[in-house]
Amino acid sequence: MIRQAHNISKEKFESRSASPVPPAPKRAPGSEARRAPETAPRNASDASSRRTAEPSTTSAAPSADQKSDRARRIAARRKRRKRMERQSASRASFIFCAFILILAFLMIVVPRSTISEIEKRALAEMPAFSFGAYFDGSFTSGVTQYYDDTVPARDTFKNLGNNLKKIFGLSTGNTVEVIGNVARVDKNQPETTAETGTAAEAEPAAEETETTTAEEKNSKDYRAANADATMEDGILVVYQDNHYRAIPLFGGLYSDDYANTLNYLRAFLTEDINMYCLLIPCSSQYYLPANYADYSVDHTESFDRVFNVTGDGITDINILNVLNDHNSEPIYLRTDHHWAPRGGYYAAKAFAEAAGVPFQDISTYDEHVYPGYMGSMYAYTGSANLLNDPEDFIWYSANNKYNVDYYDRSFNYIYTGNLFFDVPTDAAYCIYLGTDDQIAKVNTDVKNGRTLLLVKDSFANAMVPFLTHSFEKIFVVDQRYFELNMIEFIYANGITDVLMAHNSFSLAGAEVELLDDVIKNYTGSYIYDEAPAPDFTGDPYIPDGPLDSYYYEDTAAEEDYSYDEGYYDEGYYDEAGY
């Protein structure tokens, strides 16, 4: 049965093979081009046998009309494609131009930013038009700067951009970021004096100021541990104790100009006037990781250099070890280049002990906390890690009676106000004295006949509240904004103690030149204190919380600076940041 079925199938197959080949179906002209190619023969003999065994089914070559028609179709398709591409490009250009026009319109009509809370400064203003300014180019340059600097929602977009950088991996994911141009410090660099250019003579280091009362040390050697990092290009953003910290790097001091300027002032003061030198380190002294030690100088050698040059009539106050004993406490701000108020407390205590004046323990002060503080270091670095890790700004108010007289740079009396100012959280360091560009006189209820002149940069502002129990009067002067002769000022106001308190970045360059200028120049100035006698009938004003925004208009009339209302004189940070 199987054999028979096989024979039948074979017969049917042979009969089908003998039947004529059906004609090929008709194809449209030019369709030959879309015809699948036949399989190539494996060898020449196969090809020959196939030609003899199978009838040829190859169609005739296309005619000239067919070729012409095919070319027209191809050309039509190409024109249609180009037309569609032009239409798509036109639509995209229209959408883009419409977007730009809408954005430009919004930039004109939407209120522009006037203050940057991140950068702690007022933004550029539209310049006033004048033909002179127009033709010398300053007007157009000012307009350009105005539109560049006052983009609507400027801080919001900046924060968004920095967060996007972090999301897309555009910043390092290691525990340390390096921002700015940083080079390893040559710690073998020869130290030269400003006058001779020769190496400074080695002298014994200044004795460390010790506290007279026993305090429990609360310190940790952060500099002994490494941190994984890649160099991005000097500010470090370090992950320590489960928080991010920005650290400015100190390049060292290689000049005696600061010490010589202090010696010059001392030579004009009588022996009954006490003079002190207190140097403030930056946070790299305590929090720099071990594997980045070569990118910042230890402050010890630089501070010793100053103390070795200052004369016998100047009492040197070295607080390096004092602060180191408490570096596990919040003595430096993590998101700001300044130290924290608690660091100012330990420095003020060391000074009070050296000066032999009364001093109150920090436990007797009222503590205030402004949560969510983001300081100047975010503006410098743009680090999303700092932005997403704000800190508490903790400050302290004294419990005795005091008020403050404020003067302009030439010591013209303006008003009597408060030691502390209403400020928003992001400007919390401005809570002391409001601004650096005024002369302040703190009147206290202390009766010891001691009057202090504090010559400082912004770091020493945090020391002032802790000295209100120590001196009867405290004059606070920033040499950057002082327009009188300092020697004449000391004698005109009966100063008994002069404290020079500057951070490590103020010991060279323009800061020292300004200090030298106010000591040697402005002679013959009119110096007279027109402030009224101190009145301690009211309680000192203490802010009960931060403001909602960085800038606000003072609600008090200009002629009425009442003691209890407070006053804020647009205390923006100095552009240099120190």
Side-chain angles (χ1 to χ4, degrees):
M1 291 294 293
I2 296 176
R3 179 75 175 181
Q4 183 179 0
H6 175 74
N7 291 336
I8 294 173
S9 299
K10 184 177 180 181
E11 290 175 357
K12 288 183 179 181
F13 175 78
E14 290 176 348
S15 63
R16 290 174 182 172
S17 301
S19 63
V21 179
K26 292 183 179 181
R27 298 179 183 274
S31 61
E32 292 82 355
R34 297 192 297 272
R35 195 173 181 181
E38 295 181 357
T39 305
R42 294 184 179 180
N43 50 54
S45 60
D46 291 345
S48 177
S49 62
R50 185 173 297 177
R51 283 195 297 269
T52 57
E54 297 179 359
S56 176
T57 59
T58 304
S59 61
S63 64
D65 291 341
Q66 290 175 327
K67 290 181 178 180
S68 176
D69 183 61
R70 180 171 177 266
R72 284 194 300 270
R73 291 175 177 273
I74 293 174
R77 284 198 299 271
R78 289 176 177 173
K79 287 182 65 176
R80 186 165 58 254
R81 185 181 297 113
K82 289 182 178 180
R83 184 170 63 253
M84 294 174 65
E85 291 175 351
R86 286 196 299 268
Q87 291 174 348
S88 298
S90 297
R91 284 194 293 268
S93 299
F94 175 79
I95 294 173
F96 178 76
C97 291
F99 174 76
I100 295 297
L101 289 174
I102 294 173
L103 183 62
F105 176 76
L106 293 175
M107 288 294 180
I108 295 174
V109 300
V110 174
R112 306 188 69 83
S113 301
T114 58
I115 296 294
S116 173
E117 294 189 16
I118 292 176
E119 300 178 35
K120 309 293 187 295
R121 67 179 180 90
L123 302 178
E125 296 182 356
M126 176 67 77
F129 176 81
S130 69
F131 286 105
Y134 178 78
F135 287 110
D136 66 15
S138 60
F139 175 76
T140 54
S141 176
V143 171
T144 300
Q145 182 183 4
Y146 169 75
Y147 279 102
D148 287 345
D149 204 35
T150 60
V151 175
R154 184 180 189 275
D155 287 353
T156 300
F157 284 118
K158 186 170 184 177
N159 291 340
L160 177 61
N162 290 327
N163 275 309
L164 288 175
K165 288 180 181 179
K166 181 180 180 181
I167 291 172
F168 290 102
L170 298 180
S171 61
T172 176
N174 297 300
T175 55
V176 178
E177 301 170 58
V178 183
I179 295 116
N181 296 319
V182 183
R184 283 185 169 85
V185 177
D186 183 4
K187 298 184 179 180
N188 296 318
Q189 180 174 345
E191 299 181 355
T192 59
T193 62
E195 288 77 11
T196 63
T198 58
E201 296 181 1
E203 297 184 18
E207 293 185 1
E208 192 75 28
T209 299
E210 299 291 345
T211 57
T212 57
T213 58
E215 286 185 344
E216 181 182 354
K217 292 184 178 181
N218 190 7
S219 62
K220 176 181 178 180
D221 192 358
Y222 291 93
R223 297 177 297 179
N226 290 337
D228 296 333
T230 56
M231 183 68 69
E232 292 184 1
D233 266 331
I235 296 173
L236 293 175
V237 180
V238 184
Y239 190 69
Q240 293 174 337
D241 294 339
N242 300 318
H243 289 287
Y244 288 95
R245 176 188 297 277
I247 303 176
L249 303 180
F250 178 53
L253 179 65
Y254 304 100
S255 169
D256 294 331
D257 290 353
Y258 181 80
N260 288 325
T261 299
L262 268 57
N263 287 336
Y264 183 90
L265 174 61
R266 174 72 262 186
F268 285 88
L269 303 182
T270 57
E271 292 183 357
D272 59 333
I273 298 178
N274 306 306
M275 187 170 175
Y276 312 86
C277 175
L278 187 151
L279 306 181
I280 304 170
C282 68
S283 59
S284 64
Q285 179 68 14
Y286 307 108
Y287 306 104
L288 189 71
N291 52 330
Y292 281 87
D294 290 341
Y295 291 87
S296 187
V297 169
D298 188 295
H299 288 65
T300 303
E301 184 176 346
S302 295
F303 283 12
D304 285 348
R305 180 189 183 98
V306 174
F307 296 143
N308 290 338
V309 176
T310 53
D312 293 336
I314 301 176
T315 301
D316 300 320
I317 304 173
N318 193 336
I319 61 172
L320 290 180
N321 287 345
V322 172
L323 294 178
N324 189 61
D325 289 343
H326 300 278
N327 66 12
S328 290
E329 302 172 26
I331 60 172
Y332 280 87
L333 296 166
R334 294 188 294 102
T335 68
D336 201 292
H337 64 277
H338 293 101
W339 58 2
R342 195 174 186 89
Y345 162 77
Y346 288 115
K349 182 177 183 179
F351 164 62
E353 292 174 352
V357 292
F359 191 80
Q360 291 287 325
D361 188 82
I362 197 170
S363 61
T364 66
Y365 285 73
D366 293 328
E367 180 179 295
H368 311 271
V369 180
Y370 284 5
Y373 177 70
M374 179 60 58
S376 60
M377 279 308 205
Y378 173 62
Y380 298 153
T381 64
S383 171
N385 289 325
L386 288 180
L387 175 65
N388 296 316
D389 189 18
E391 59 185 319
D392 289 342
F393 185 88
I394 305 173
W395 59 281
Y396 305 85
S397 59
N399 53 14
N400 61 322
K401 300 287 187 177
Y402 54 87
N403 65 10
V404 185
D405 297 324
Y406 288 92
Y407 309 78
D408 66 12
R409 302 182 184 192
S410 298
F411 201 55
N412 297 306
Y413 172 73
I414 305 175
Y415 69 100
T416 298
N418 310 299
L419 175 57
F420 302 103
F421 282 75
D422 290 290
V423 294
T425 300
D426 286 347
Y429 197 83
C430 291
I431 199 169
Y432 305 110
L433 305 171
T435 176
D436 289 320
D437 65 354
Q438 291 179 336
I439 300 171
K441 181 183 67 175
V442 183
N443 306 293
T444 75
D445 58 359
V446 176
K447 300 298 181 182
N448 61 1
R450 301 285 290 269
T451 298
L452 172 67
L453 172 62
L454 173 58
V455 184
K456 53 82 185 182
D457 53 35
S458 57
F459 271 70
N461 291 355
M463 296 173 58
V464 175
F466 302 111
L467 297 174
T468 58
H469 291 281
S470 304
F471 293 90
E472 191 168 329
K473 297 179 183 178
I474 305 172
F475 286 87
V476 184
V477 167
D478 192 313
Q479 75 273 2
R480 295 171 295 180
Y481 311 104
F482 191 66
E483 297 179 353
L484 295 170
N485 180 270
M486 188 169 291
I487 298 172
E488 295 176 349
F489 186 85
I490 291 172
Y491 286 107
N493 290 287
I495 304 298
T496 61
D497 299 84
V498 178
L499 171 61
M500 295 288 179
H502 294 95
N503 82 91
S504 51
F505 291 101
S506 296
L507 304 182
E511 307 289 335
V512 178
E513 293 176 5
L514 290 170
L515 180 60
D516 185 77
D517 184 55
V518 299
I519 293 174
K520 297 179 179 179
N521 299 319
Y522 300 102
T523 56
S525 303
Y526 173 78
I527 302 176
Y528 180 74
D529 189 352
E530 298 177 345
D535 179 9
F536 302 124
T537 56
D539 292 330
Y541 173 77
I542 306 297
D544 58 0
L547 298 177
D548 294 332
S549 61
Y550 183 73
Y551 173 80
Y552 73 96
E553 297 291 343
D554 185 23
T555 56
E558 293 185 3
E559 66 275 10
D560 179 22
Y561 300 110
S562 63
Y563 180 70
D564 289 327
E565 285 178 329
Y567 179 77
Y568 183 58
D569 190 36
E570 300 179 12
Y572 308 118
Y573 277 51
D574 178 70
E575 291 182 0
Y578 298 101

